[in-house]
Amino acid sequence: MANQLSRLDQVFAALADPTRRAIVMRLCAGEASVGELADPFDMALPSLMKHIHVLETSGLVQSEKSGRVRTCRLSPDALLGAEDWFQQQRAIWEARLDRFEAYVMKLKKEREPAGKPSRTRERKGTK
């Protein structure tokens, strides 16, 4: 489990940077050379390579070198851990919100005098 959290931390850290997110979005369209990935950015190639290295370390990107050209491609399996984490968080928060809603409804019923319609019912009836 600690290894999964470490990998998840690496994925989130890699995606925390807008340049790396842009690289990932570009690679969603298909593999690209480092030169092609560098085109939209105003930075030196060694700086871009540092971003690619972070993406590779996190498992989001794979690259291979053929001659003088390094080609990168997305490795979407690295996002499965993040997807699982988001689903777990969503389930937790939905349950909390459901309990909160039930509590609010209980409070509304307790504060409503017996036999007297609530304001929302009065408004509906007057329209």
Side-chain angles (χ1 to χ4, degrees):
M1 175 138 169
N3 190 26
Q4 281 181 318
L5 290 177
S6 174
R7 178 60 65 150
L8 187 60
D9 290 344
Q10 289 177 336
V11 168
F12 283 138
L15 294 174
D17 184 270
T19 300
R20 292 192 286 267
R21 285 194 307 271
I23 292 169
V24 168
M25 291 305 296
R26 166 52 188 87
L27 291 175
C28 284
E31 62 182 39
S33 70
V34 171
E36 292 171 329
L37 292 173
D39 280 343
F41 303 106
D42 186 27
M43 69 175 66
L45 200 56
S47 296
L48 184 83
M49 286 303 297
K50 288 180 183 180
H51 286 293
I52 291 173
H53 177 72
V54 170
L55 290 168
E56 285 182 308
T57 302
S58 72
L60 289 167
V61 170
Q62 295 176 342
S63 71
E64 62 183 39
K65 192 169 183 179
S66 177
R68 300 182 83 188
V69 177
R70 178 168 294 279
T71 303
C72 300
R73 72 180 146 292
L74 192 60
S75 181
D77 289 346
L79 291 173
L80 293 176
E83 182 181 3
D84 290 344
W85 185 83
F86 279 121
Q87 287 176 350
Q88 291 170 2
Q89 294 304 307
R90 181 178 184 165
I92 289 168
W93 281 100
E94 284 179 349
R96 287 178 181 172
L97 289 172
D98 288 346
R99 287 194 308 268
F100 181 66
E101 181 182 24
Y103 177 71
V104 168
M105 296 306 287
K106 178 184 169 197
L107 287 177
K108 278 185 174 181
K109 284 186 178 186
E110 288 174 358
R111 291 183 182 196
E112 188 176 287
K116 183 178 176 186
S118 70
R119 290 182 191 171
T120 55
R121 287 187 210 143
E122 289 175 6
R123 287 184 193 146
K124 288 181 183 176
T126 60
K127 287 185 180 178

